[in-house]
Amino acid sequence: MAELSKEEKKALMRKWKDTQYKKYILSKTKVKKLFCYLEIQLENTPCNHTLHYTEQWLKDNLPQEKVKSVIAEMKEMGGYCDCEVLLNCYEKYDIV
């Protein structure tokens, strides 16, 4: 593998630092509730590769004007369907 240039290293470091101080739209409490909801739903029904349950929970628990922003944020993290929200967004939201 080729070594990264100084500029590439700086860009990667900036990107990493940005993620360390990112403020998310959902609070940790709401994220935990969403993840619990998704786990229960996906335990009974396999993922259909949509955000059906995620969107349902968001619409039921957030002001309507925030739903699209949260979905966009989750897609940036790799959450393009309900199971990917659980798998890809968990670490990014830093739920411990």
Side-chain angles (χ1 to χ4, degrees):
M1 182 157 79
E3 191 169 321
L4 297 174
S5 70
K6 187 175 182 178
E7 292 78 28
E8 290 170 322
K9 289 177 183 178
K10 283 183 179 181
L12 286 172
M13 182 59 81
R14 255 183 266 117
K15 186 176 179 180
W16 177 80
K17 283 182 179 180
D18 289 345
T19 63
Q20 299 304 301
Y21 302 106
K22 173 103 170 108
K23 295 287 183 193
Y24 296 106
I25 298 167
L26 291 180
S27 67
K28 283 193 178 191
T29 301
K30 288 197 186 260
V31 170
K32 286 179 183 179
K33 289 179 181 180
L34 168 62
F35 287 175
C36 286
Y37 173 78
L38 289 175
E39 285 176 349
I40 291 167
Q41 298 307 314
L42 295 174
E43 196 174 278
N44 299 321
T45 308
C47 183
N48 65 0
H49 308 294
T50 69
L51 289 167
H52 173 77
Y53 293 120
T54 301
E55 288 175 346
Q56 181 68 47
W57 188 92
L58 293 172
K59 288 176 183 175
D60 291 346
N61 293 279
L62 292 180
Q64 187 61 38
E65 64 272 7
K66 286 189 172 187
V67 172
K68 284 185 180 181
S69 299
V70 173
I71 290 171
E73 185 174 79
M74 289 179 173
K75 285 182 177 181
E76 285 178 19
M77 294 181 214
Y80 293 94
C81 66
D82 293 322
C83 67
E84 288 180 341
V85 167
L86 278 175
L87 296 172
N88 297 337
C89 299
Y90 189 85
E91 284 186 19
K92 302 250 185 344
Y93 276 120
D94 193 30
I95 305 301
V96 180

